[in-house]
Amino acid sequence: MRYWTPGKIRALKGQKKFATITCYDATSAMLIDAVGQEAFPIVLVGDSLGMTMQGRDSTLAVTIDEVIYHTRCVSRVLKYPMIIADLPFGAYQADNTEGVRNAIRLIKEGGADGVKIEGGERCLNIIRTLVEAGVPVCGHIGLTPQSCLAMGGFKVQGRDEMQAARFISEAKLLEAAGCFALVAEGVPASLGEALTKAISIPVIGIGAGAATDGQILVWQDMLGLSLGFKPKFLRVFKDIGTQTQAALKEYVTAVEEGTFPSENESYT
């Protein structure tokens, strides 16, 4: 059992703002854990791996087996954060039986502690079924990347009053269905604040303003590793991408000049 649980995370509501982050591999997981047991209540193995790890332009092609693989890599290392894995596109839309089966696979084969499902009212049935089966569920509304075709791309949602009211209604329904937390993505800051006030479970924002209970960023994005990707909501906290390019150039130069390996870096 990891240090963070759904109960501990729910207890943060109104008490402390918290950071969460995505993770897809053991090396990153090791670094996240090293920050300390209180630092990250949740780590998400997101289907965003389709873009960050596979070079795709959306999450739609990611399979359940691929999410299980990356979740397994992360779960072997992490001791503290609760590991939430995305149910990818096509893994739960057909029927509840398939959705439950895939969620259980993420837990049994991947080592996840819960799952995240994108969508509002249409997902209530599967969420209730999963919660009744003992699977912790995190909801996700607003800009839902799995719906990018229907939305016409990755666009800010909830700017008009009718859509904002629908999201608030759906957030309440997701809480009632048993979600322990909710991700709000790509919505105006005012709506992020309204969602946070409307429900008693933590709201985790990404591009949803500063009033939400928590924030989540993609590992590669916040470290400057996603070269050329700079949406308005993103802050690069350390430009590892530029530093990595410099290190690679230094390595190439050292090899070409014959200064690497040195005598101290060679066996006798």
Side-chain angles (χ1 to χ4, degrees), residues 17-45:
K17 289 184 179 289
F18 59 93
T20 67
I21 194 166
T22 67
C23 184
Y24 316 97
D25 63 90
T27 301
S28 304
M30 177 185 65
L31 292 169
I32 289 169
D33 242 16
V35 179
Q37 69 179 17
E38 298 287 344
F40 294 101
I42 293 174
V43 158
L44 172 67
V45 183

Side-chain angles (χ1 to χ4, degrees), residues 212-228:
T212 56
D213 301 293
Q215 300 289 334
I216 186 164
L217 284 176
V218 171
W219 171 269
Q220 285 86 345
D221 297 347
M222 59 90 65
L223 292 176
L225 295 170
S226 302
L227 300 182

